[in-house]
Amino acid sequence: MNLAGALPVMNIYKTLREEAYEANMEIQRHSLAVYTWGNASAFDPKSGIFAIKPSGVDYDKLTPDSMVLLDIEGKIIEDSQRRSLKPSSDTKTHMVLYREFSSFAPSSLRGITHTHSTYAVSWAQAKRSVPVFGTTHADYSIEEITCTEYMDEETVKNNYELETGNLILETFRKRNLNPSNNNMVLVAGHGPFTWGNSAAHSVYNSVILEEICKMAYLTITINPHAKPLPEHIIRKHWERKHGPDAYYGQT
């Protein structure tokens, strides 16, 4: 056995498992899912390997070692020391997004989170995209938070989780959205997926998404005729945080 070559690989495995574990713990800490709902994954673009929550395991029973390692084609990577658990049922959705979205900006897609948070799921079940009603939303996206169409019956029968990923891809292509600047989506009737430059950042975006969806719901409850924020205010808030002359924060 080539120990010199094996050690870096084992270090990648360990790092990915730890990152995925911590991200999944954040889902529970922020009450974005109950029981075994939801999942987060951590991806290493160089090796094409990601770690994801095992299917149907309670959060309080998770450990870094229980995270499942897979390659970008969805093949489980077995360690010589242990037998892998079954990965999350949403694994193929993560796999598709890593494989296809990474070409836009490899450094900006190293983690994906899927939750069943109340307000985000409610907008997905209503099959409604979330308008940019205020500056909180504009700080994170200049676009509405897009909701996909429903999948047709034949597509659902084909390979549901893989087709969920394809549906997200198709939605972004049709609407000319860049996943680097739009790191959250609602899948109609299902719920939210978010991504980021780390597994932790993808959960952060899930927390932000839930708050935006909650604010948007309250906005249309107070005023059913509420209009999106004017474009010039949206642009100002986005650019002061993300533009070439950004001045938000300490950098």
Side-chain angles (χ1 to χ4, degrees):
M1 180 179 180
N2 184 350
L3 291 178
L7 187 59
V9 171
M10 296 306 291
N11 285 341
I12 291 170
Y13 291 176
K14 183 175 184 292
T15 299
L16 288 175
R17 282 202 176 102
E18 288 174 350
E19 289 178 358
Y21 169 75
E22 288 300 330
N24 280 285
M25 290 298 96
E26 280 291 286
I27 291 176
Q28 187 183 47
R29 289 184 195 110
H30 289 282
S31 302
L32 297 175
V34 299
Y35 295 117
T36 63
W37 303 359
N39 46 76
S41 64
F43 178 54
D44 174 50
K46 276 190 176 180
S47 65
I49 295 170
F50 65 99
I52 195 167
K53 178 181 177 287
S55 180
V57 178
D58 288 331
Y59 284 90
D60 59 2
K61 293 180 180 176
L62 293 177
T63 66
D65 196 51
S66 65
M67 299 296 110
V68 186
L69 290 166
L70 303 102
D71 66 21
I72 201 64
E73 300 303 322
K75 180 182 177 183
I76 293 176
I77 297 170
E78 298 279 5
D79 287 2
S80 59
Q81 304 297 320
R82 61 193 281 282
R83 183 178 177 185
S84 295
L85 299 169
K86 282 173 56 180
S88 165
S89 56
D90 293 302
T91 293
K92 289 183 179 178
T93 306
H94 290 240
M95 179 189 76
V96 170
L97 297 182
Y98 283 134
R99 196 167 58 201
E100 302 299 329
F101 276 174
S102 292
S103 60
F104 284 85
S107 62
S108 67
L109 184 56
R110 300 177 73 102
I112 294 172
T113 297
H114 169 54
T115 77
H116 288 262
S117 58
T118 304
Y119 287 92
V121 168
S122 297
W123 281 85
Q125 290 179 170
K127 198 171 171 283
R128 285 192 61 179
S129 297
V130 184
V132 188
F133 282 130
T135 62
T136 306
H137 186 147
D139 280 340
Y140 294 93
S141 178
I142 58 174
E143 310 277 355
E144 65 180 13
I145 298 164
T146 298
C147 186
T148 70
E149 296 295 325
Y150 289 129
M151 270 188 268
D152 60 40
E153 186 175 0
E154 196 59 38
T155 305
V156 170
K157 287 179 180 177
N158 180 31
N159 192 329
Y160 178 64
E161 289 78 19
L162 184 138
E163 293 296 352
T164 299
N166 288 336
L167 175 64
I168 294 170
L169 293 179
E170 180 187 1
T171 301
F172 270 59
R173 286 169 184 155
K174 278 185 177 177
R175 303 185 187 184
N176 197 30
L177 298 173
N178 185 331
S180 297
N181 297 332
N182 299 272
N183 46 28
M184 47 189 71
V185 69
L186 302 174
V187 177
H190 186 179
F193 284 83
T194 62
W195 46 91
N197 57 22
S198 66
H201 190 222
S202 71
V203 182
Y204 173 87
N205 286 330
S206 287
V207 175
I208 296 301
L209 172 60
E210 178 66 359
E211 285 301 304
I212 289 172
C213 287
K214 182 178 180 179
M215 292 174 184
Y217 168 76
L218 292 172
T219 298
I220 60 174
T221 300
I222 296 166
N223 179 7
H225 305 293
K227 302 293 184 186
L229 199 64
E231 181 68 21
H232 62 281
I233 302 178
I234 294 174
R235 284 282 172 188
K236 176 62 180 178
H237 271 261
W238 170 259
E239 288 176 3
R240 75 173 190 164
K241 199 167 186 177
H242 306 282
D245 299 314
Y247 57 88
Y248 176 89
Q250 298 302 313
T251 54

